[in-house]
Amino acid sequence: ITDQLIFGESNSIAVRVDCSQYEGWWYDGGGIYRDVKLLTTNDCYCMPADIYVHTAKNGQISITADVTNKGEQKTAKMALIIEKDGTPLLKAEKSLALTGEKTAFSAQLQIHSPALWDVDDPQLYTLTVLLNGERETEIPFGFKDVRFDPEHGFFLNGKARTLNGVCLHQDLAGVGVAL
């Protein structure tokens, strides 16, 4: 929507859903079923959807991201801050040579004796990503041990759990929605 905005002035944005057309999947619902957010960025940015956090129960954290560069910038500085309950635990900084429009970034971090996420005790950490000193996003994440056993079922952190759910075809046939 960049071309439609008047920078430095107040802008109004309206989002309208037109459900008047018959779409053929025999579902009578209509509307917006996801959060709608307006993201503003600099020429060099990292979209929240392009940042991935993978964890292992031993405290290892693998972070990957794609940095987009729509300007003339040649380098960037990525900073990662890990917090638990608002207390900083780790901070890592890495300089990045920007190559083309998208540049891949990766980092490996380690937390000692992480608190495991569980249904009854949802222990979460927060990854704050800064690019060139600008806050890009905050991503909540946790550590857990997941195992499926064909004879005994699903285990979370060594404890047997029952999985319950439905498949609600709200988006497209065969896709479903998590409830």
Side-chain angles (χ1 to χ4, degrees):
I1 65 170
T2 300
D3 296 338
Q4 306 301 317
L5 297 177
I6 302 170
F7 290 93
E9 295 186 22
S10 179
N11 292 263
S12 293
I13 300 170
V15 177
R16 180 176 175 270
V17 176
D18 180 0
C19 297
S20 64
Q21 297 296 313
Y22 177 73
E23 58 93 11
W25 284 108
W26 303 280
Y27 178 75
D28 58 1
I32 298 173
Y33 296 96
R34 305 289 185 273
D35 291 341
V36 176
K37 297 177 182 177
L38 175 64
L39 299 176
T40 58
T41 66
N42 295 315
D43 285 344
C44 184
Y45 60 90
C46 193
M47 295 296 291
D50 290 337
I51 303 168
Y52 300 92
V53 179
H54 302 276
T55 62
K57 69 178 181 174
N58 67 357
Q60 184 178 1
I61 308 166
S62 296
I63 300 165
T64 59
D66 285 333
V67 177
T68 302
N69 184 20
K70 301 250 181 187
E72 302 298 320
Q73 197 168 330
K74 302 293 182 205
T75 61
K77 182 174 274 189
M78 183 77 85
L80 308 171
I81 303 168
I82 306 284
E83 293 180 339
K84 173 88 173 94
D85 300 325
T87 302
L89 301 176
L90 291 172
K91 182 173 183 179
E93 290 186 343
K94 188 174 182 182
S95 292
L96 187 60
L98 301 175
T99 56
E101 188 172 313
K102 289 255 187 196
T103 302
F105 167 85
S106 66
Q108 303 291 319
L109 302 174
Q110 180 76 40
I111 289 183
H112 300 287
S113 303
L116 298 182
W117 182 94
D118 190 82
V119 174
D120 300 322
D121 189 17
Q123 297 288 324
L124 289 176
Y125 293 78
T126 303
L127 167 66
T128 302
V129 178
L130 295 103
L131 184 62
N132 297 323
E134 298 283 331
R135 182 180 300 267
E136 296 293 300
T137 192
E138 289 183 357
I139 299 174
F141 69 95
F143 297 88
K144 62 191 173 301
D145 180 37
V146 175
R147 179 173 59 93
F148 286 93
D149 183 292
E151 294 182 22
H152 300 99
F154 172 70
F155 289 81
L156 177 63
N157 300 328
K159 182 178 177 183
R161 294 283 186 171
T162 302
L163 297 176
N164 299 304
V166 301
C167 184
L168 177 62
H169 298 283
Q170 177 176 311
D171 296 322
L172 294 169
V175 175
V177 176
L179 300 176

